[in-house]
Amino acid sequence: MSEEKAGNGHRPGRAGSRLSQELVGVVGLEIHAQIHASTKLFSGSQVRFSSPPNSLVSFFDASLPGTLPVLNRRCVEAAVMTGLALNCTINKKSLFDRKHYFYADLPAGYQITQQRLPVAVDGRLSYGVLVDGSQNHVLERSVRIKQIQLEQDSGKSLRDGHRSQTLIDLNRAGIGLMELVMEPDMCCGEEAAAAVRELQLILQALGTCQGNMSEGQLRVDANVSVHRPGEPLGVRTEVKNINSARFLARAIDYELQRQMAVVESGGTVVNETRAFDFKSGQTIPMRDKEGLQDYRFMPEPNLPPLLLYDQQTAPMDADPTQVILIDQIQEQLPELPRVTRERLVKTYGILPEHSFTLVNEDDLVDYFVSVVQRTKAEPRKVIGWVLKDLLGQLKQRCLSTAQSPISPLALAELLDLLEAGRISSPAAKLVFQELWKGTGRSAEQIVEQQDLGVMRDHGEIERICQSVIDSHPEEVRAIRGGNRNVLNKLMGRVMKQTKGRADPLLVRTLLEEKTS
């Protein structure tokens, strides 16, 4: 990592002391993505969230004697597709291993994973970081993907404090996971969160993982350390099981500052596993990792090597249902978020940061394009209404784009009225609010029923302006005294009386003439 890149990563703490100027952070991520499949990785048990405890458990999931794993084709295809989308090399031969450790929710006493030879290696994820969280500039970053491996999830332990019991739910046991291991190429929480958001969008576009972090479909472990540029990397800590990009950024930045304080004071950072307490905003110790844990890895004896092919190397007599073709999956790759953003900027002339917002919201790209195709308004005008007005209302009410009461056609009709000069901008805002009520009326019907069309009578507008001036002598004296900002108050009162129907430029001109 270059010193320049590392320095850019510590904007949150740079304004403090020389601490963050001398020490830089190093962040690597391990991400467990739950594969979007109807059944588990090695059994036919269904995959459903919030099902009754232990209702989706096969004999194999419960590790009953004599049961054998049967590899789920869908999970393999999902891992290959994800690897291709992340520019990985797909290993045509990969191996399964047993990783031994004890948890009450791991009934076999081991996890089937791919420690020796994973399905995909040596990839790269490109992502954008909004500088200082603003919407003015996007910095391009990338992080190396060390490997993507298939493995099974564990069950879930539920602590019953009232009865002093630990209850076990094995519904999640055996669900297929892709573990994505990222190299330590990031330097702060902001970068890590941006990388996870981009990965989330890619997985959702591919359909290989739904990426709902609140349901545990995407879980992140962060490896964090600090060091002085030019010196070896410091002792790292691992912050486990973070289920929110926002919490990830907070956890990493707190941990970086904590480690910097320890090193600066002459202390030693302990190699340990920590958890993030979102209420306090702090990481807290879980267990130390000073002793090397022996997982006793061994080849999985009940699974042969996983062999993948392309169309040229596939066996001639192979059963098509038993052969996975890498190049065939490559051809099925959809448009990825990065390409979508570039297309939006190039096609519609919108700002790059606006393309990030469009792509980040489900169905918002299709909504925007649909409006543009139906209206005479320029795309740069459409984007303002979609992002500021529509998305603002959706966020305020916690609604998705699909739940919007204003269809793309309705918004396009409103923008056409504004573009044709039949309504003013303030009146258009009023029409938008009426459309949001979902009464079924069109924009044109609302304009007619509420008499919101542009006022053409110059004399009537002048009369209203004079009336407002006469009834607010103190504001007029302030304007004549040099406070021109007060003019905006008078303009607001005129526009209110005219229901936003008057031409704002004409109103300002008349008020300036009459108060000069």
Side-chain angles (χ1 to χ4, degrees):
M1 178 189 302
S2 69
E3 184 172 349
E4 178 184 2
K5 178 181 177 183
N8 286 342
H10 279 289
R11 285 181 288 271
R14 186 181 298 174
S17 65
R18 62 188 180 89
L19 186 72
S20 56
Q21 296 174 4
E22 294 184 358
L23 290 165
V24 295
V26 178
V27 180
L29 301 178
E30 297 175 9
I31 301 173
H32 291 88
Q34 179 179 311
I35 297 172
H36 182 41
S38 59
T39 56
K40 296 182 180 180
L41 182 58
F42 297 118
S43 79
S45 295
Q46 296 296 304
V47 176
R48 285 195 302 271
F49 184 70
S50 292
S51 294
N54 296 308
S55 62
L56 304 174
V57 185
S58 70
F59 292 153
F60 178 80
D61 303 329
S63 195
L64 297 186
T67 56
L68 295 172
V70 178
L71 184 58
N72 185 333
R73 177 190 179 98
R74 160 62 185 166
C75 292
V76 177
E77 291 175 334
V80 172
M81 179 174 282
T82 301
L84 291 172
L86 294 174
N87 306 298
C88 292
T89 298
I90 306 299
N91 287 321
K92 292 187 176 180
K93 178 181 179 181
S94 59
L95 305 172
F96 288 97
D97 305 280
R98 288 185 179 183
K99 177 182 180 181
H100 293 82
Y101 58 94
F102 174 76
Y103 279 131
D105 52 21
L106 192 70
Y110 62 84
Q111 176 193 43
I112 300 178
T113 182
Q114 292 188 307
Q115 187 263 344
R116 290 171 295 162
L117 191 59
V119 69
V121 295
D122 299 332
R124 183 170 294 274
L125 169 67
S126 297
Y127 61 97
V129 180
L130 298 176
V131 179
D132 292 323
S134 72
Q135 296 290 324
N136 298 322
H137 188 53
V138 178
L139 290 179
E140 291 295 329
R141 292 280 189 262
S142 68
V143 56
R144 290 169 295 159
I145 307 293
K146 180 181 179 181
Q147 65 190 54
I148 301 175
Q149 62 196 47
L150 281 165
E151 61 186 31
Q152 40 174 194
D153 207 345
S154 62
K156 184 181 294 186
S157 298
L158 306 171
R159 182 63 181 169
D160 185 345
H162 181 70
R163 300 179 181 178
S164 299
Q165 293 178 329
T166 298
L167 306 177
I168 304 299
D169 179 9
L170 294 180
N171 279 349
R172 199 176 68 182
I175 288 179
L177 298 178
M178 294 178 287
E179 181 177 359
L180 297 96
V181 181
M182 295 184 178
E183 299 284 9
D185 295 340
M186 294 164 284
C187 58
C188 67
E190 184 181 18
E191 286 194 2
V196 168
R197 290 190 189 100
E198 184 69 9
L199 175 63
Q200 187 179 32
L201 290 173
I202 291 173
L203 295 175
Q204 290 170 342
L206 298 173
T208 57
C209 173
Q210 292 179 303
N212 188 333
M213 298 187 76
S214 64
E215 294 184 3
Q217 294 169 353
L218 204 65
R219 308 192 295 274
V220 184
D221 300 337
N223 294 304
V224 182
S225 67
V226 299
H227 74 294
R228 289 183 171 84
E231 297 182 359
L233 297 181
V235 176
R236 72 182 185 184
T237 61
E238 183 181 29
V239 187
K240 294 284 288 184
N241 289 332
I242 306 172
N243 63 356
S244 156
R246 182 166 58 90
F247 290 164
L248 176 67
R250 290 175 57 194
I252 290 173
D253 287 338
Y254 173 83
E255 184 59 20
L256 287 172
Q257 296 301 321
R258 186 191 70 82
Q259 291 186 23
M260 287 178 180
V262 170
V263 173
E264 189 72 8
S265 64
T268 301
V269 176
V270 178
N271 183 13
E272 63 183 346
T273 299
R274 300 175 72 89
F276 178 64
D277 182 353
F278 71 92
K279 293 182 180 178
S280 66
Q282 300 178 343
T283 63
I284 54 178
M286 292 174 63
R287 56 185 179 271
D288 71 73
K289 301 174 71 172
E290 294 295 338
L292 182 63
Q293 187 166 357
D294 182 11
Y295 288 113
R296 294 182 293 116
F297 282 104
M298 60 170 283
E300 169 53 59
N302 295 323
L303 286 167
L306 173 59
L307 302 179
L308 305 173
Y309 303 92
D310 51 39
Q311 291 178 340
Q312 286 72 34
T313 61
M316 295 294 294
D317 57 347
D319 182 352
T321 63
Q322 300 298 314
V323 175
I324 293 177
L325 302 178
I326 299 172
D327 47 359
Q328 190 175 79
I329 295 176
Q330 177 82 59
E331 294 171 359
Q332 297 171 356
L333 288 178
E335 182 178 77
L336 298 178
R338 183 186 183 90
V339 178
T340 302
R341 289 192 294 265
E342 292 172 351
R343 174 174 58 82
L344 290 170
V345 171
K346 182 178 180 180
T347 303
Y348 301 108
I350 63 175
L351 297 176
E353 52 268 26
H354 290 162
S355 72
F356 269 84
T357 306
L358 285 177
V359 173
N360 285 353
E361 301 294 330
D362 291 343
D363 302 321
L364 198 58
V365 170
D366 291 340
Y367 189 102
F368 166 74
V369 172
S370 183
V371 175
V372 170
Q373 292 174 344
R374 288 173 165 84
T375 182
K376 297 177 181 178
E378 292 293 323
R380 284 180 175 265
K381 293 182 180 179
V382 175
I383 196 69
W385 281 86
V386 170
L387 296 187
K388 184 178 179 181
D389 297 276
L390 180 82
L391 186 58
Q393 292 283 357
L394 293 174
K395 292 286 189 183
Q396 185 177 339
R397 292 165 172 78
C398 298
L399 298 176
S400 66
T401 304
Q403 294 172 308
S404 170
I406 302 179
S407 67
L409 177 59
L411 182 56
E413 291 176 347
L414 169 59
L415 296 181
D416 279 345
L417 292 175
L418 182 60
E419 195 70 12
R422 293 180 55 188
I423 56 175
S424 65
S425 293
K429 301 290 185 182
L430 294 176
V431 175
F432 183 89
Q433 295 299 327
E434 289 298 315
L435 288 172
W436 189 266
K437 296 177 181 178
T439 60
R441 294 177 297 167
S442 67
E444 188 157 2
Q445 288 173 330
I446 293 171
V447 170
E448 291 177 358
Q449 293 171 5
Q450 299 193 11
D451 193 21
L452 295 175
V454 169
M455 289 183 67
R456 305 293 183 185
D457 190 336
H458 186 283
E460 178 65 12
I461 295 174
E462 185 173 8
R463 185 191 66 77
I464 294 174
C465 287
Q466 187 63 55
S467 173
V468 168
I469 288 172
D470 292 342
S471 57
H472 296 86
E474 292 184 6
E475 282 87 342
V476 173
R477 281 195 293 271
I479 294 170
R480 288 171 177 166
N483 189 350
R484 305 301 297 176
N485 291 331
V486 179
L487 189 70
N488 292 329
K489 292 185 178 181
L490 296 184
M491 278 194 65
R493 291 186 172 95
V494 173
M495 298 306 292
K496 184 176 181 180
Q497 285 196 30
T498 61
K499 297 181 181 179
R501 297 166 57 212
D503 181 356
L505 293 178
L506 175 59
V507 171
R508 176 173 284 277
T509 300
L510 290 172
L511 290 176
E512 287 176 344
E513 291 176 354
K514 293 178 179 295
T515 57
S516 61

